[in-house]
Amino acid sequence: MEFKLNIPNTLETIFFLVVLLTYQIAEAKIHHHTFAIKSKAYTRLCNTKKILTVNGEFPGPTLKAYRGDKLVVNVVNNANYNITLHWHGARQLRNPWSDGPEYVTQCPIRPGESYVYRIDLTVEEGTIWWHAHSQWARATVHGAFIIYPKRGSPYPFPKPHREIPLILGEWWTKKNIMDIPGNANKTGGEPAISDAYTINGQPGYLYPCSKPDTFTITVVRGRRYLLRIINAVMDEELFFAIANHTLTVVAKDGRYLKQFKSNYLMITPGQSMDVLLHANQRSSRYFVAARAYSSAFGAGFDKTTTTAILQYKGVSLNRNQPVLPYLPPYNRTEASTRFTSQFRSPRSSNRPVDVPVKIDTRLLYAISVNLMNCSDNNPCSGPFGKRFSSSVNNISFVNPSLDILRAYYRHIGGVFQEDFPRNPPTVFNYTGENLPFPTRFGTKVVVLDFKTSVELVLQGTNVLASDNHPFHLHGYSFYVVGSGFGNFDSRKDPLKYNLVDPPEETTVGVPRNGWTAIRFVANNPGVWLLHCHIERHATWGMNAVFIVKDGPTKSSRMVKPPRDLPSC
């Protein structure tokens, strides 16, 4: 039988296969996931208890996509608690309906119901994360969200041999996490302090009943590794280090940084960092460790240290206990400042730094931990028999019974007020001593016109106890143009702003008894939450909301609400 090669037909076939492959690659840019919220028993610190999980995993599943991809996540609530999810660091351009904070952009998903979140990635690249945004569920309902450069595009640093997500978390031995905020609200005191920190769900070598399950990173000497580090802790900033190893920080919050080396990190709740590790030390075993940075005097906090092990390939597991790295003392604010002051944006033709220079709206938000009176017959367990609260410009935020986004979109009155103060109602020495602590409850917002250029100064106060406050803005990234200690001086401090290469972030720490200035352009219409990512402070009311109006064109207006939006 004679075989004849038909060249034209062969070329047509090859062309067809190439087109088909290209089409399939394009289709692969939409990633579909199902997240089932359910309780599952986990054993830690010698005790077994049930926790909320996604798909039974703790931490939850790692999402992976490329820059410009889309994700469709069907969340099915098989638990006994309401739930919402937030995609921390994703802009959610024109789509606040999928942003997640309960009673701000949606009502929660009730037990037995479901909701589909749609995430359209635009400029995000690097490590961000996802987490529950209802009650205290994010303590166990969270996971990494990795966004690779566009297909065919390289990293702006040497390609690592392997990537390793490291999620820093917390564990309460016997308490039901979902009961913690309610119990604290009943007494007016502080929420229960955790019993351990964790790395990828494991407390580590130094805790009881934990040594065998310590998370281990196996490396080959001479190779480079990309650590994708996320602080999912509820209530504390953390110092992080690896014994005898220098870390190269390359990105933060899904935005690249000018690379710099450091022996330790200070990472706040809500932040994510991409760090290169060169396995260039003697082949041995080294501790990876994290413990609290707590700048609030008098506040209780978990003083334990979580560990993982960096294990060089070929080293015996029976070697002596690894050595711990140096970590700054708990209250070493200088160490925190020394680390964060190195953040800069890389400037290049394909990664422009577009800092707003002409400012339309200037805001000053004073952030405070406050006390409120309790009844004379039933004093609370906070200081002086009072109740803890917190505030932004003396307003302690209260969740409405209907989400703000729906009320705004459908013109439903009585849900929120548009008179949130754009400056502190009373000017005072914010970082002085023996300050009064007046505050009032409210559900108030600031309304911004589309494409308004905004400068927001977050001013820490010493009203009850000063602290380092990590603030997260939903729906946006922003440039951190300045930071300092003491009271912000509107005449002198802007002269020292960095308008050349400030870091672009989504969660920024406001220093203890200090201030931070950020700038952004309000070009993402919708309802967007601004809040402290220390969970007790957010629970007490340290939240604010922006409403950004629609723009003039279809592409600058909010998308319509989805049909499966949960009801209240």
Side-chain angles (χ1 to χ4, degrees):
M1 182 177 185
E2 186 178 358
F3 177 79
K4 292 183 179 181
L5 180 64
N6 191 320
I7 299 296
N9 287 344
T10 303
L11 291 175
E12 287 175 8
T13 302
I14 293 172
F15 176 77
F16 172 78
L17 291 174
V18 169
V19 170
L20 180 62
L21 180 61
T22 302
Y23 176 79
Q24 289 175 334
I25 291 173
E27 284 296 297
K29 291 183 179 180
I30 302 178
H31 309 267
H32 292 267
H33 300 273
T34 297
F35 277 14
I37 310 296
K38 60 182 180 180
S39 294
K40 183 178 179 181
Y42 273 80
T43 301
R44 299 289 185 273
L45 306 182
C46 317
N47 285 276
T48 301
K49 69 171 189 176
K50 285 190 174 182
I51 61 172
L52 283 183
T53 69
V54 167
N55 300 344
E57 300 177 33
F58 172 67
T62 295
L63 294 177
K64 296 183 178 183
Y66 289 82
R67 180 171 174 166
D69 283 2
K70 302 176 187 296
L71 294 93
V72 179
V73 184
N74 182 27
V75 177
V76 182
N77 188 359
N78 295 326
N80 295 323
Y81 300 94
N82 291 342
I83 200 77
T84 67
L85 293 187
H86 171 56
W87 319 94
H88 189 117
R91 287 201 68 193
Q92 298 293 54
L93 194 62
R94 302 173 47 235
N95 186 20
W97 308 103
S98 284
D99 190 48
E102 63 175 349
Y103 298 110
V104 177
T105 61
Q106 69 169 96
C107 290
I109 308 166
R110 298 171 181 171
E113 297 184 354
S114 63
Y115 181 51
V116 175
Y117 289 93
R118 301 178 187 278
I119 306 103
D120 290 2
L121 300 173
T122 53
V123 298
E124 303 88 352
E125 191 173 317
T127 304
I128 58 176
W129 63 303
W130 61 266
H131 61 81
H133 215 299
S134 50
Q135 306 176 68
W136 275 39
R138 80 168 175 88
T140 56
V141 179
H142 59 248
F145 191 164
I146 297 171
I147 306 166
Y148 299 106
K150 283 186 177 181
R151 290 169 178 81
S153 299
Y155 290 112
F157 47 79
K159 185 177 179 179
H161 173 71
R162 185 162 62 97
E163 64 181 22
I164 304 157
L166 295 177
I167 300 179
L168 310 175
E170 258 176 311
W171 187 266
W172 285 259
T173 304
K174 296 181 179 179
K175 291 181 173 59
N176 181 347
I177 295 166
M178 300 301 286
D179 292 338
I180 290 175
N183 291 337
N185 186 55
K186 290 176 184 176
T187 67
E190 289 193 278
I193 295 171
S194 61
D195 298 295
Y197 300 114
T198 60
I199 298 178
N200 286 352
Q202 295 294 343
Y205 205 90
L206 305 179
Y207 295 91
C209 305
S210 303
K211 183 176 176 180
D213 296 316
T214 299
F215 182 75
T216 299
I217 305 166
T218 301
V219 297
V220 175
R221 193 170 187 275
R223 290 179 175 175
R224 284 182 171 84
Y225 298 84
L226 179 59
L227 307 182
R228 299 182 178 273
I229 304 170
I230 296 162
N231 187 347
V233 167
M234 300 294 278
D235 272 337
E236 295 298 338
E237 289 112 345
L238 297 175
F239 288 120
F240 172 97
I242 301 177
N244 292 13
H245 288 75
T246 299
L247 305 173
T248 302
V249 182
V250 297
K252 177 183 179 295
D253 296 348
R255 308 295 187 276
Y256 290 117
L257 294 173
K258 282 185 179 177
Q259 300 176 27
F260 68 91
K261 296 182 183 298
S262 181
N263 293 326
Y264 65 91
L265 312 179
M266 196 291 286
I267 183 168
T268 76
Q271 291 182 342
S272 54
M273 293 183 187
D274 290 352
V275 176
L276 289 176
L277 168 70
H278 190 192
N280 59 359
Q281 297 300 301
R282 179 175 60 88
S283 292
S284 187
R285 304 171 77 215
Y286 301 88
F287 268 137
V288 180
R291 73 177 180 199
Y293 161 55
S294 182
S295 60
F297 292 136
F301 64 96
D302 184 342
K303 298 180 176 64
T304 64
T305 301
T306 183
T307 57
I309 294 176
L310 184 73
Q311 166 106 13
Y312 278 71
K313 189 175 181 180
V315 172
S316 169
L317 295 178
N318 297 321
R319 282 206 173 193
N320 294 336
Q321 176 175 311
V323 295
L324 283 165
Y326 167 78
L327 292 168
Y330 298 117
N331 61 352
R332 189 59 56 84
T333 295
E334 297 87 348
S336 170
T337 304
R338 188 162 54 247
F339 175 72
T340 58
S341 64
Q342 299 178 82
F343 295 167
R344 295 286 188 277
S345 285
R347 292 181 64 91
S348 64
S349 57
N350 61 336
R351 301 183 193 279
V353 178
D354 191 15
V355 188
V357 176
K358 182 181 177 296
I359 299 300
D360 302 316
T361 297
R362 297 182 188 274
L363 306 170
L364 177 64
Y365 284 4
I367 51 180
S368 306
V369 174
N370 310 84
L371 292 176
M372 301 188 78
N373 291 327
C374 295
S375 66
D376 294 335
N377 297 328
N378 188 23
C380 292
S381 58
F384 316 114
K386 297 180 182 291
R387 168 182 297 279
F388 278 107
S389 70
S390 62
S391 64
V392 180
N393 279 355
N394 290 28
I395 303 296
S396 186
F397 185 83
V398 177
N399 277 337
S401 57
L402 177 72
D403 60 281
I404 295 173
L405 176 58
R406 187 175 344 216
Y408 169 66
Y409 187 84
R410 301 202 182 280
H411 308 287
I412 301 171
V415 176
F416 63 89
Q417 296 80 44
E418 297 182 4
D419 59 346
F420 186 90
R422 297 187 173 214
N423 292 280
T426 303
V427 177
F428 61 98
N429 179 11
Y430 307 112
T431 56
E433 300 294 332
N434 302 315
L435 299 176
F437 30 80
T439 189
R440 55 196 174 96
F441 294 119
T443 308
K444 300 175 181 292
V445 307
V446 165
V447 179
L448 298 171
D449 289 330
F450 184 73
K451 280 201 170 179
T452 297
S453 57
V454 179
E455 177 178 300
L456 169 61
V457 177
L458 296 163
Q459 173 68 62
T461 71
N462 197 31
V463 168
L464 179 62
S466 58
D467 202 350
N468 189 86
H469 295 283
F471 260 74
H472 173 51
L473 177 58
H474 291 227
Y476 287 87
S477 60
F478 47 76
Y479 289 103
V480 182
V481 297
S483 189
F485 292 98
N487 298 330
F488 176 74
D489 188 322
S490 60
R491 292 176 299 174
K492 296 179 180 179
D493 287 326
L495 300 176
K496 297 177 285 186
Y497 280 176
N498 175 10
L499 301 179
V500 177
D501 59 354
E504 188 178 1
E505 308 182 32
T506 67
T507 306
V508 65
V510 181
R512 176 183 177 272
N513 271 341
W515 57 270
T516 294
I518 67 174
R519 288 185 175 184
F520 63 96
V521 176
N523 56 8
N524 189 12
V527 174
W528 306 108
L529 181 64
L530 171 75
H531 66 102
C532 182
H533 227 280
I534 292 178
E535 203 64 26
R536 67 180 67 188
H537 295 168
T539 301
W540 291 338
M542 196 175 285
N543 312 292
V545 172
F546 289 115
I547 291 180
V548 178
K549 294 180 180 179
D550 280 339
T553 63
K554 182 178 179 181
S555 63
S556 62
R557 299 187 192 118
M558 275 194 298
V559 300
K560 293 181 179 180
R563 292 182 178 180
D564 62 340
L565 189 68
S567 60
C568 292

